[in-house]
Amino acid sequence: MLEIFDVYLAEAIISGILLGGVLALLALGLNLIFGVIDVTWICYAELIMLGMYALYYFYSVYGLPMWVAAPACIALVAVLGLLLHYIVIEPLLDAAPINQLLATGGVLFFLQSFATVAFGIDFRNLGIRLPVLALGEMHFSYARLLAFGAALAGMVIVYLFMTRTYIGTAIRAISQDRQIMALMGVDTKRLYLVTSAIGGALAGLAACLLVLQYDVHPFVGLSFGPITFLICVLGGLGNFIGGFVAAFLFAQIISLGGLYSDLEWGYVLAFAFFIVMMFIRPAGLLARRP
Amino acid sequence: MNPRHLAYWIAAAVLVGLPVVYNQPYHLHVMVLILIWSFAYTSWSVMGRFGLVSLGHGGFMGVGAYVTALLWNHFGLTPWVGIPVALVCAGLLALIVAYPCFRFRITGHYFALVTLALSGIVLQVITATRNQTGGSLGYTPERTKGNAIAALQFVDKETWYLIALGVWALGIAIWYWIDRSMIRYAMEAISEDEDAAAAAGINVTLEKLKITVLSAVMTALAGALYCQYQMFISPDTVSGISVSLQMVFAAVVGGIYVAFGPTVGAVITILLAEGLRIGFGTKAVGWDNLVYGVLLVVFIIFLPKGILGSLLARMKPSGKH
């Protein structure tokens, strides 16, 4: 009895780690946007939802091969991120932060209902069933392993971009001091657009990975959107490493909570953990106490 | 009695007398919905107007609705007791979440996201305890076989109309009461600069807590009323993030800085939704939210004071805005 139990426990822990990789990727895009532009895209998960639909249409309906469909999906969501910034965020850059939050909330409504109107409320999936890896008595689907690997790769690429390229350095600089960068002759508008596009591309990558595991429907964003925000806040908005750590913590809680009870209780636990942590470390997990 | 007061009294008399002369059930139904939601939106704007943007009010509404219904079904407790219990629960919940938030000065984005987590928790708890609450399939308070008044269940729309009207008027009265109280000045100072407000002798945490708990309790009352009126609640209609966003949206569209702004927002959003539903039937699924979303963005960019707020500001250009 005890041994079986332990196998489940190990499986839950490893599932948690795999989930954590994807959550970390989700959080990275949002953190990037927040850290650089200082806005929160409440509609981030809805961009991912559109990306999932895009991949579904490219791959399953138009029959493009995956190596064309996935990059096309990433590019499309990157363009959406760019448009979101250009149309909604830019006119509001000087407005109260809460107005920016609410405006992207409007975009959330819009995208959700756009998907309802355009694609209907049926659940769709790619129809790919990747094989399951059996490791002893534990079972992991390749889709999750792939998602984990791709998420890590995406994060490494972003890291290299931010530290090794000129634009990346400029983006990091602007997140440290907005006003001075403009005085130094840096075109902040262009940097914001580049950042939005990268944020969008990360959402696109996340979409490609999520649609391998989950069905897509217009409200799918609500199932992982809130979690993503919580992870970002828990890690400290704009703090990449904090977001990374928080993603894995959250994933473990959800996974282990789901093991002992229903998956919903895993989420409840994670949410409760979040609220408690907000009191203990209001500025994020890795923030120093003032 | 000046003309302005006279106009209020006439308007009140017309609203109260309306069901006597005109009682087409569907129109009354829409008006009851408008009144209940207006009250909910007003409750939100009681704190929203001071820059305390909460995305957790869906949670408070859910607590109000579900606690009342659960006490009735499982313990046979009349809503006359159940609703106060539900209000206390919502107030406690607000206290538990808001006190540390304010104590540790979680403001702006962070406050919005913490409260977002709260509405997420309430939604997940309702879904997870599906054996008691019916989960995402929804929940129905049992029809009473006895006294309708004790069970707070009325078949006719006129009674509900009057109840909803009374509660809505209470909401407006509370709004005005705050508008004229010291809390308002304290809260305005706090929303400008917390440190300066604290230096001026304002107990920042306490003032914010008062307004938050008041707002949460009012929202829970809206939820309980909605439950008693519709006799059906589901996590999607009274709880969760979309309800929270819907509240913010309607209040912002109407105008959060004027007393009747949220009411105007409720009238516009509900008439729009009902109009689309009647005009296009099931084909219209999603279109109302599509319009809402675009409107919300357009309003925040071009008309942040809302429809009524901007109208009133235009009518008296000598005003302070």
Side-chain angles (χ1 to χ4, degrees):
Chain A
M1 185 65 206
L2 197 69
E3 284 117 48
I4 296 169
F5 179 74
D6 283 338
V7 165
Y8 286 137
L9 185 67
E11 188 175 325
I13 289 174
I14 296 176
S15 298
I17 293 173
L18 295 183
L19 177 67
V22 180
L23 288 181
L25 179 69
L26 294 177
L28 177 65
L30 207 58
N31 261 333
L32 183 70
I33 303 291
F34 182 86
V36 176
I37 314 178
D38 202 13
V39 295
T40 313
W41 287 1
I42 286 273
C43 56
Y44 192 71
E46 275 58 37
L47 288 180
I48 296 173
M49 179 265 296
L50 284 189
M52 290 166 82
Y53 269 113
L55 192 67
Y56 168 77
Y57 273 93
F58 288 155
Y59 180 80
S60 297
V61 179
Y62 303 132
L64 294 175
M66 191 49 99
W67 58 271
V68 179
C73 163
I74 294 174
L76 181 81
V77 185
V79 171
L80 283 179
L82 215 119
L83 284 179
L84 175 68
H85 181 79
Y86 192 70
I87 297 173
V88 179
I89 303 295
E90 205 167 273
L92 286 171
L93 271 182
D94 296 324
I98 216 67
N99 282 4
Q100 299 161 348
L101 195 83
L102 293 181
T104 55
V107 176
L108 180 155
F109 261 122
F110 173 77
L111 293 181
Q112 251 179 24
S113 31
F114 170 77
T116 314
V117 170
F119 312 124
I121 50 171
D122 304 328
F123 285 47
R124 320 277 181 98
N125 64 59
L126 288 187
I128 311 176
R129 283 283 162 264
L130 290 173
V132 172
L133 173 73
L135 201 75
E137 290 188 40
M138 299 181 282
H139 300 276
F140 306 105
S141 89
Y142 270 107
R144 305 189 77 170
L145 289 173
L146 181 69
F148 181 72
L152 283 191
M155 285 183 268
V156 168
I157 290 172
V158 170
Y159 176 77
L160 290 178
F161 175 80
M162 296 291 275
T163 48
R164 301 291 159 88
T165 66
Y166 186 72
I167 290 189
T169 311
I171 289 178
R172 280 188 299 134
I174 207 168
S175 66
Q176 289 179 358
D177 197 323
R178 236 159 282 288
Q179 273 96 35
I180 298 293
M181 276 304 273
L183 292 180
M184 297 287 136
V186 175
D187 185 356
T188 51
K189 271 191 178 173
R190 209 183 102 221
L191 282 186
Y192 284 170
L193 282 175
V194 172
T195 311
S196 301
I198 299 173
L202 286 172
L205 176 61
C208 296
L209 303 176
L210 285 170
V211 79
L212 288 176
Q213 303 175 41
Y214 303 104
D215 291 348
V216 54
H217 56 95
F219 302 101
V220 72
L222 288 180
S223 56
F224 53 83
I227 290 277
T228 313
F229 298 120
L230 302 192
I231 289 169
C232 289
V233 176
L234 189 64
L237 273 172
N239 184 337
F240 300 118
I241 313 233
F244 193 78
V245 175
F248 282 96
L249 256 176
F250 247 65
Q252 281 307 334
I253 295 174
I254 293 172
S255 188
L256 290 177
L259 173 71
Y260 290 112
S261 179
D262 291 338
L263 194 60
E264 283 99 358
W265 283 112
Y267 280 100
V268 172
L269 266 181
F271 282 138
F273 171 74
F274 166 79
I275 289 193
V276 170
M277 283 310 288
M278 277 318 280
F279 305 148
I280 303 173
R281 297 210 151 262
L285 276 181
L286 302 183
R288 274 198 217 103
R289 283 234 133 189
Chain B
M1 188 180 279
N2 64 28
R4 197 185 159 90
H5 280 127
L6 195 66
Y8 278 138
W9 283 110
I10 293 175
V14 168
L15 281 174
V16 172
L18 188 87
V20 181
V21 285
Y22 185 81
N23 53 8
Q24 207 270 343
Y26 171 67
H27 290 165
L28 270 183
H29 167 70
V30 172
M31 290 188 64
V32 172
L33 282 187
I34 288 178
L35 287 170
I36 293 177
W37 283 110
S38 296
F39 177 67
Y41 301 157
T42 308
S43 317
W44 182 87
S45 77
V46 159
M47 65 187 285
R49 65 184 288 217
F50 299 119
L52 286 174
V53 172
S54 153
L55 296 179
H57 271 51
F60 299 130
M61 193 153 184
V63 168
Y66 271 92
V67 169
T68 311
L70 288 170
L71 285 177
W72 170 249
N73 278 10
H74 290 287
F75 302 103
L77 207 59
T78 156
W80 292 101
V81 182
I83 290 178
V85 173
L87 299 192
V88 170
C89 290
L92 278 180
L93 186 66
L95 207 62
I96 293 171
V97 176
Y99 174 73
C101 275
F102 298 152
R103 185 74 189 70
F104 297 116
R105 313 201 44 186
I106 296 170
T107 53
H109 282 83
Y110 280 82
F111 183 69
L113 292 173
V114 172
T115 50
L116 185 79
L118 173 71
S119 60
I121 292 185
V122 174
L123 183 75
Q124 296 286 356
V125 169
I126 293 173
T127 320
T129 53
R130 58 176 62 80
N131 292 334
Q132 285 81 37
T133 61
S136 48
L137 293 177
Y139 194 61
T140 312
E142 281 160 22
R143 289 275 172 197
T144 179
K145 294 176 189 69
N147 191 338
I149 293 178
L152 205 63
Q153 294 175 0
F154 307 105
V155 182
D156 61 321
K157 305 273 181 214
E158 286 87 346
T159 318
W160 273 114
Y161 172 80
L162 290 176
I163 294 175
L165 187 66
V167 171
W168 170 76
L170 175 75
I172 299 288
I174 293 177
W175 202 96
Y176 272 118
W177 171 69
I178 289 170
D179 201 47
R180 289 184 192 154
S181 70
M182 276 310 286
I183 300 181
R184 176 202 164 175
Y185 295 103
M187 285 306 297
E188 275 181 354
I190 291 169
S191 69
E192 291 282 328
D193 187 334
E194 289 202 4
D195 291 317
I202 297 171
N203 189 338
V204 176
T205 308
L206 183 71
E207 297 295 332
K208 280 170 129 181
L209 262 187
K210 278 197 244 172
I211 210 91
T212 307
V213 170
L214 177 68
S215 173
V217 167
M218 287 168 73
T219 311
L221 179 60
L225 265 192
Y226 180 87
C227 163
Q228 291 301 120
Y229 174 63
Q230 290 284 47
M231 296 299 283
F232 174 74
I233 45 180
S234 73
D236 298 325
T237 51
V238 292
S239 181
I241 288 140
S242 30
V243 177
S244 304
L245 275 176
Q246 182 195 333
M247 280 188 202
V248 180
F249 162 70
V252 167
V253 165
I256 55 176
Y257 303 110
V258 286
F260 290 96
T263 307
V264 170
V267 170
I268 293 172
T269 49
I270 291 176
L271 287 186
L272 181 68
E274 289 292 310
L276 283 170
R277 199 169 61 80
I278 293 172
F280 301 97
T282 49
K283 271 184 294 179
V285 171
W287 279 99
D288 52 345
N289 279 333
L290 197 72
V291 180
Y292 290 173
V294 175
L295 276 184
L296 184 55
V297 175
V298 169
F299 266 88
I300 298 235
I301 295 180
F302 296 107
L303 218 59
K305 274 189 274 184
I307 289 181
L308 192 65
S310 304
L311 273 181
L312 290 180
R314 189 154 296 179
M315 268 154 59
K316 44 176 178 185
S318 58
K320 66 173 178 175
H321 287 293

